[in-house]
Amino acid sequence: MSGKQTETAETGCPLKGREVLDLYFLENRARLLEIASFLDRIGRCEEPEAIRDNYLYRSFIKAMGAVLEHPAGRTEAVQLIFSDLTELPSESAGAPAAGAWKGGGG
């Protein structure tokens, strides 16, 4: 095995950074545009202030900030924002999932 192969194996990524960028840029550009559209739709809604106080919205915004603030652990940081880390079942245990914990949106 050559030195370059060993280095990429140690990082957990078999591709070079430029290869990852070339392969996944358009897909993730589309995702980012979808997120921007989602936020624009919220901004055009009636009573946008009430939506901005909603825990789902707050969690989403907090998670977007975590993507920029945690370069070494983005995925974990985002997952923790959406996760309920309490140890005891809540009163709503068994209810449909909302996708974010009410206590996590800060």
Side-chain angles (χ1 to χ4, degrees):
M1 191 181 299
S2 75
K4 286 186 179 181
Q5 289 173 326
T6 301
E7 289 174 11
T8 54
E10 289 173 3
T11 64
C13 184
L15 302 173
K16 294 179 181 174
R18 180 59 194 239
E19 293 171 323
V20 172
L21 186 62
D22 289 344
L23 281 171
Y24 299 106
F25 178 79
L26 286 177
E27 174 184 343
N28 287 288
R29 175 185 173 269
R31 289 179 179 162
L32 189 55
L33 287 168
E34 185 64 29
I35 290 169
S37 296
F38 167 67
L39 294 172
D40 284 347
R41 284 191 293 277
I42 288 173
R44 290 191 304 267
C45 290
E46 293 180 26
E47 302 177 2
E49 299 80 24
I51 292 171
R52 289 186 185 105
D53 289 336
N54 183 284
Y55 77 97
L56 294 172
Y57 179 83
R58 288 192 323 267
S59 294
F60 195 86
I61 297 300
K62 186 175 180 180
M64 287 189 359
V67 168
L68 298 175
E69 295 168 10
H70 298 279
R74 293 177 183 101
T75 304
E76 181 180 10
V78 169
Q79 185 62 42
L80 287 172
I81 290 168
F82 292 130
S83 297
D84 180 352
L85 301 177
T86 58
E87 294 183 14
L88 299 174
S90 69
E91 293 177 15
S92 64
W101 175 49
K102 284 189 178 186

